[in-house]
């Protein structure tokens, strides 16, 4: 099953330079489609040529037993003519065949050898991907090679010879009568290389195959070749950038060229955008469509440079400075306490028997914040070596205070993406949906209108995605009667749009006309139409609901405002510091809780301050289990609001508590 012919080693072997002609076939497709069907290598031939002596030194041929395939495809048998018994009776697997050739090579060349292949497919699309999948470490000489077709084009200034047959015809070489498919190809390569050496060609500057994925920083202003990007879909959720690079082993990826995509919750969604060094490598990547990582097949599609920038690009100076630190591996921390500081992070990694040192210590910790400065619970750190990264990741789900911390190997693209998303106002407003007990701003009553004058309208049944612009467009000419800071978008207790808005008009007649002309009219949004309720109401009605003092579906006229409501579970009380800066008066603060505030520890019963009478327990006729929800309020337009401290209500501030009521 193995044939070889060689001369023995000599003292001058290590000083000589050799070419190793390499040819491989798989149990599947051959020719220009070699490797595109993910089939295993079943035969390899090596032929060694002494460059200086211009003579063949030896030949080694190995049949390889397949690990997964027990039958050859019809195309393979028809084109190659290979005998199945030679393959399936072989005692060598791929690792064994590679080891055997390494011994042969060292005995005959001293490993001063550079590979020559008919094209790039034998190494880039077959040997490297299969060895990566089987965790086989390849010797250094497999990472450089000459593409014979390109070398032939350089030497003879022609691009009309795409295969070995046309090359041999161009050189007027005698045809070969060899019937064995693999042996015929290696013999043709031998004749062509010898002729090129005789004609004075020098084999210089071999192509290098990327060994390791390198980190790199991508800016939103970078100019990326449109035809070098693919989208990989169906990745395991725990997949890292190194795993993606391993899937595309054999192809050259740009620095920082793997961008793992995140979901709206900031978690990896099983997709990645990959940027290759050349258009040709991108085309080879597309041939790996539905190849596998473990048991999962991965879909590979074309993508654009803009797609890549939208995920990997960034302009945040803080993130850019972090990515320029002298570290090799980035680690993402998730689930940090919102009051965590850099010292807590350093202590987290250095405690225990095997401490991990973060690059640049406390200055090397990068926290992620929302636009208002509130922490997202995420942070990034760098470590210098792979070993330190492995040690650090062992702390996955260890605790910091009362919280367990999730650790993930991260990328430069993910750092940029997380920072960009955290600063996006849309993600900032919806981020509260992912926090079970998110703080909600509490508004002073003076910031809302009051009284029984019906100069307001209540707009209901709005599309969830609807914004202020769409509301103004819907109202048409009636929008001109809205007062400054008069549009109040209503969000529920989970930070989600409620589909409601309150609007203050400049007169009762304006609100009456708006309700009369727009109630139960259709709004056209995102290609769909939806009828909208527009109801006239008073400032007091609006005030009560926006401060969470009545259910959204009831507006009693004689409701007296209690100091605090009872709830099965209380939300955290919110200081004024959580309000947007434009809503705070200068030098003003808010007490954390009124005097004698009952406990707000989750699951602890909260003592009601409402008298336990039948009338009080029903809240002036309202069912005690009715839905109450505090609101976030947004204004149109939104100039800064300045209140004097003396204008604050003299009585203790009403704090709205979130209950466990049903849907409204």
């Amino acid at each position: 099953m193995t044939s070889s012919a060689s001369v023995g080693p000599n003292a001058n072997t290590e000083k000589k330079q050799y070419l190793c002609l390499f040819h491989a076939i798989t149990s599947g497709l051959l020719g220009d489609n070699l490797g595109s069907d993910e089939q295993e290598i079943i035969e390899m031939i090596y032929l060694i040529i002494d460059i200086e002596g211009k003579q063949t030194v030896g030949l080694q041929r190995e049949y390889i037993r397949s690990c997964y395939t027990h039958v050859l495809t019809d195309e393979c048998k028809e084109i190659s003519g290979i005998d199945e018994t030679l393959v399936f009776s072989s005692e060598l697997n791929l690792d064994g065949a590679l080891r055997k050739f390494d011994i042969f090579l060292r005995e005959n060349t001293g490993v001063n050898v550079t590979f020559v292949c008919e094209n790039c497919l034998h190494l880039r699309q077959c040997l490297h991907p299969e060895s990566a999948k089987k965790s086989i470490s390849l010797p250094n000489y497999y990472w450089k090679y000459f593409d014979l077709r390109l070398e032939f084009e350089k030497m003879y200034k022609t691009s009309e010879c795409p295969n070995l047959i046309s090359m041999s015809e161009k050189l007027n070489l005698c045809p070969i009568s060899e019937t064995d498919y693999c042996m015929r190809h290696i013999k043709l390569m031998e004749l062509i290389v010898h002729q090129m050496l005789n004609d004075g060609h020098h084999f210089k500057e071999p192509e290098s195959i990327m060994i390791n994925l390198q980190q790199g920083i991508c800016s939103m202003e970078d100019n990326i070749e449109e035809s070098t990007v693919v989208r990989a879909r169906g990745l395991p959720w725990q997949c890292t950038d190194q795993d993606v690079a391993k899937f595309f082993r054999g192809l050259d990826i740009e620095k920082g060229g793997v961008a793992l995509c995140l979901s709206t919750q900031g978690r990896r969604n099983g997709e990645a955008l990959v940027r290759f060094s050349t258009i040709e490598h991108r085309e080879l990547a597309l041939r790996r469509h539905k190849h596998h990582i473990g048991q999962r097949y991965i879909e590979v599609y074309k993508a654009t440079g803009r797609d890549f920038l939208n995920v990997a690009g960034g302009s945040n100076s803080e993130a850019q400075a972090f990515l320029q630190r002298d570290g090799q591996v980035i680690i993402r921390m998730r689930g940090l306490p919102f009051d965590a500081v850099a010292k807590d992070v350093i202590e987290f990694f250095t405690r225990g028997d095997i401490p991990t040192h973060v690059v640049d210590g406390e200055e090397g910790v990068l926290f992620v914040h929302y636009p208002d400065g509130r922490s997202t619970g995420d942070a990034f750190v760098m470590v210098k070596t792979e070993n330190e990264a492995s040690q650090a990741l062992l702390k996955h789900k260890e605790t910091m205070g009362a919280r367990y911390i999730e650790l993930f190997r991260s990328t430069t693209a993910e750092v940029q993406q997380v920072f960009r998303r955290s600063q996006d106002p849309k993600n900032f407003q919806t981020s509260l949906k992912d926090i079970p007990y998110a703080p909600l701003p509490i508004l002073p009553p003076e910031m809302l209108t009051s009284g029984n004058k019906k100069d307001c309208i209540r707009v209901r049944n709005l599309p969830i995605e609807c914004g202020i612009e769409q509301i103004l467009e819907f109202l048409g000419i009636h929008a001109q009667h809205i007062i400054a800071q008069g549009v109040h978008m209503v969000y529920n207790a989970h930070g989600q749009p409620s589909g409601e808005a309150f609007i203050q008009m400049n007169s009762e007649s304006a609100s009456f006309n708006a309700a009369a002309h727009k109630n139960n009219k259709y709004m056209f949004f995102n290609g769909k139409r939806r009828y909208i309720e527009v109801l006239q109401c008073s400032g007091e009605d609006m005030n009560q609901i926006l401060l969470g003092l009545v259910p959204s579906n009831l507006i009693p006229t004689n409701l007296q405002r209690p100091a605090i409501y009872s709830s099965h579970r209380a939300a955290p009380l919110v200081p004024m510091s959580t309000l947007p800066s434009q809503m705070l008066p200068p030098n003003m603060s808010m007490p954390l809780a009124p005097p004698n505030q009952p406990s707000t520890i989750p699951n602890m019963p909260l003592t009601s301050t409402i008298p336990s009478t039948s009338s009080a327990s029903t809240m002036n006729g309202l069912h005690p289990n009715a839905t109450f929800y505090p609101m976030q309020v947004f204004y149109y337009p939104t100039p800064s609001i300045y209140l004097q401290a003396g204008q604050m209500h003299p009585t203790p501030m009403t704090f709205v508590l979130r209950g466990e009521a049903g849907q409204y």
Side-chain angles (χ1 to χ4, degrees):
M1 290 181 290
T2 301
S3 60
S4 63
S6 65
V7 298
N10 55 70
N12 296 323
T13 295
E14 294 187 1
K15 297 181 181 179
K16 292 184 177 181
Q17 296 295 319
Y18 298 88
L19 296 175
C20 178
L21 312 188
F22 176 73
H23 193 84
I25 63 172
T26 70
S27 59
L29 299 174
L30 302 176
D32 291 339
N33 294 318
L34 184 70
S36 61
D37 57 354
E38 206 180 8
Q39 295 298 313
E40 295 176 285
I41 295 173
I42 58 173
E43 182 181 2
M44 296 188 299
I45 296 184
Y46 304 83
L47 189 145
I48 301 174
I49 295 176
D50 178 356
I51 296 177
E52 183 180 353
K54 298 178 183 178
Q55 62 178 349
T56 299
V57 173
L59 182 144
Q60 182 90 350
R61 179 177 189 172
E62 299 294 347
Y63 292 103
I64 301 166
R65 184 183 71 251
S66 173
C67 296
Y68 308 109
T69 304
H70 302 290
V71 61
L72 304 183
T73 63
D74 293 338
E75 179 176 343
C76 177
K77 290 187 288 186
E78 180 180 350
I79 296 178
S80 68
I82 194 170
D83 186 351
E84 283 185 312
T85 59
L86 293 176
V87 176
F88 299 127
S89 63
S90 174
E91 297 179 355
L92 293 174
N93 58 17
L94 180 61
D95 189 32
L98 293 171
R99 291 177 183 275
K100 189 172 182 178
F101 171 71
D102 187 67
I103 296 172
F104 165 78
L105 189 65
R106 293 179 185 279
E107 290 176 349
N108 291 278
T109 71
V111 200
N112 294 323
V113 64
T114 306
F115 274 57
V116 180
C117 301
E118 177 186 356
N119 52 47
C120 67
L121 301 179
H122 301 270
L123 288 177
R124 290 190 182 274
Q125 288 288 76
C126 292
L127 183 60
H128 277 279
E130 185 174 340
S131 62
K133 185 180 298 184
K134 295 179 177 179
S135 300
I136 299 173
S137 180
L138 293 174
N140 292 336
Y141 46 79
Y142 285 103
W143 298 88
K144 290 185 178 181
Y145 74 101
F146 292 105
D147 187 324
L148 186 56
R149 292 190 292 189
L150 298 180
E151 294 297 317
F152 191 90
E153 183 178 335
K154 291 178 187 177
M155 176 65 185
Y156 299 106
K157 312 301 180 186
T158 179
S159 58
E160 299 177 355
C161 300
N163 54 53
L164 296 177
I165 298 295
S166 59
M167 291 183 205
S168 63
E169 291 175 350
K170 175 73 174 179
L171 298 176
N172 297 317
L173 300 176
C174 296
I176 295 177
S177 58
E178 178 66 56
T179 57
D180 185 285
Y181 177 85
C182 213
M183 189 61 71
R184 181 170 69 252
H185 277 73
I186 207 74
K187 288 294 185 182
L188 273 173
M189 290 174 66
E190 180 187 19
L191 291 176
I192 294 168
V193 170
H194 275 300
Q195 185 63 51
M196 292 175 69
L197 291 173
N198 290 332
D199 290 343
H201 182 65
H202 298 284
F203 285 85
K204 301 178 180 178
E205 300 178 359
E207 290 187 36
S208 296
I209 299 174
M210 186 190 75
I211 299 177
N212 294 313
L213 177 67
Q214 298 182 12
Q215 298 292 346
I217 303 173
C218 182
S219 170
M220 293 297 290
E221 288 73 35
D222 286 355
N223 184 20
I224 296 180
E225 171 63 48
E226 286 295 311
S227 300
T228 59
V229 181
V230 301
R231 182 183 298 273
R233 183 176 297 161
L235 299 168
W237 68 268
Q238 71 273 29
C239 191
T240 67
D241 59 334
Q242 297 294 332
D243 296 324
V244 175
K246 183 178 178 181
F247 175 78
F248 289 110
R249 177 71 59 81
L251 307 180
D252 296 345
I253 300 173
E254 289 284 1
K255 289 184 178 180
V258 176
L260 300 171
C261 301
L262 303 181
S263 67
T264 55
Q265 289 77 34
R267 300 176 182 271
R268 294 171 185 172
N269 65 3
E271 292 190 11
L273 288 159
V274 186
R275 178 189 176 194
F276 294 94
S277 59
T278 66
I279 297 174
E280 291 74 21
H281 285 204
R282 187 246 211 163
E283 293 304 315
L284 293 176
L286 291 171
R287 297 187 187 185
R288 299 194 188 183
H289 179 62
K290 293 198 174 180
H291 286 203
H292 290 75
I293 293 180
Q295 299 299 316
R296 298 176 66 97
Y297 72 82
I298 309 302
E299 299 174 354
V300 183
Y301 301 102
K302 292 181 180 180
T304 66
R306 176 49 55 185
D307 293 335
F308 186 83
L309 285 177
N310 288 339
V311 174
S315 57
N316 183 280
S317 58
E318 191 178 3
Q320 297 273 350
F322 171 80
L323 294 173
Q324 292 172 1
R325 296 186 182 276
D326 184 23
Q328 183 178 348
V329 183
I330 303 172
I331 295 175
R332 180 181 179 185
M333 308 179 72
R334 195 165 64 198
L336 292 168
F338 294 126
D339 58 352
V341 296
K343 183 179 179 181
D344 300 324
V345 173
I346 298 301
E347 182 182 344
F348 176 83
F349 283 109
T350 54
R351 71 191 184 197
D353 298 332
I354 308 178
T356 300
H357 299 286
V358 173
V359 172
D360 295 336
E362 292 186 20
E363 293 184 359
V365 180
L366 179 66
F367 288 98
V368 185
H369 297 92
Y370 290 117
D372 65 344
R374 183 166 52 88
S375 173
T376 67
D378 287 62
F380 294 92
V381 297
M382 273 192 189
V383 294
K384 285 196 171 183
T385 66
E386 290 286 346
N387 287 337
E388 286 184 306
S390 299
Q391 293 173 3
L393 292 172
L394 293 176
K395 296 179 178 290
H396 179 60
K397 292 198 174 181
E398 287 191 10
T399 59
M400 180 185 295
R403 301 182 65 120
Y404 73 84
I405 308 302
E406 296 178 282
L407 300 179
F408 305 94
R409 185 185 180 115
S410 189
T411 67
T412 56
E414 187 171 47
V415 174
Q416 303 266 39
Q417 191 177 176
V418 169
F419 257 80
R420 191 173 63 252
R421 293 174 65 87
S422 71
Q423 297 301 306
D424 189 331
K426 292 184 296 184
N427 293 325
F428 168 56
Q429 300 301 346
T430 59
S431 65
L432 294 177
K433 292 187 290 185
D434 304 319
I435 306 174
Y437 292 98
L440 294 173
I442 304 300
L443 299 177
E446 287 73 11
M447 299 181 71
L448 299 175
T449 186
S450 61
N452 295 320
K453 185 179 179 181
K454 292 193 173 184
D455 55 356
C456 302
I457 57 172
R458 182 181 185 185
V459 185
R460 303 185 61 180
N461 201 36
L462 293 167
I464 297 301
E465 304 86 357
C466 177
I468 290 177
E469 295 80 1
Q470 288 75 33
I471 295 176
L472 298 180
E473 183 179 352
F474 170 76
L475 290 176
I477 61 173
H478 301 285
Q480 64 184 322
H481 299 291
I482 300 174
I483 67 171
Q485 304 169 346
V487 177
H488 307 270
M489 300 294 291
V490 181
Y491 285 62
N492 66 19
H494 300 289
Q496 301 167 328
S498 68
E500 291 191 43
F502 282 90
I503 300 176
Q504 294 174 250
M505 313 293 281
N506 56 15
S507 67
E508 283 189 287
S509 60
S511 64
F512 174 83
N513 289 332
H517 289 94
K518 290 297 181 178
N519 187 37
N520 290 335
K521 300 296 183 182
Y522 286 103
M523 172 186 283
F524 292 88
F525 186 77
N526 285 344
K528 299 180 180 179
R529 69 175 189 172
R530 188 182 186 119
Y531 83 90
I532 306 299
E533 296 180 19
V534 181
L535 308 174
Q536 188 181 19
C537 64
S538 68
E540 182 65 18
D541 296 336
M542 183 184 73
N543 199 335
Q544 297 282 355
I545 292 181
L546 289 181
L547 287 176
L549 301 179
V550 297
S552 64
N553 57 340
L554 294 173
I555 308 178
T557 58
N558 60 342
L559 180 63
Q560 298 298 317
R561 187 177 304 170
I564 195 167
Y565 276 147
S566 172
S567 174
H568 296 292
R569 179 180 295 179
L573 295 175
V574 185
M576 187 63 108
S577 60
T578 61
L579 283 170
S581 59
Q582 71 269 21
M583 296 172 65
L584 286 173
N587 304 320
M588 190 190 78
S589 62
M590 178 185 289
L592 291 179
N596 303 320
Q597 171 63 44
S599 170
T600 58
I601 300 176
N603 300 318
M604 181 174 289
L606 180 64
T607 303
S608 173
T609 60
I610 302 175
S612 56
T613 64
S614 58
S615 59
S617 63
T618 58
M619 302 181 192
N620 291 336
L622 303 180
H623 193 278
N625 291 329
T627 303
F628 295 89
Y629 55 100
M631 301 301 174
Q632 297 182 74
V633 181
F634 299 89
Y635 295 97
Y636 168 80
T638 57
S640 299
I641 299 173
Y642 294 100
L643 298 176
Q644 299 298 323
Q647 290 181 308
M648 292 299 294
H649 199 278
T651 59
M653 174 61 63
T654 298
F655 285 82
V656 183
L657 302 180
R658 183 184 315 162
E660 297 180 332
Q663 297 183 347
Y664 57 87

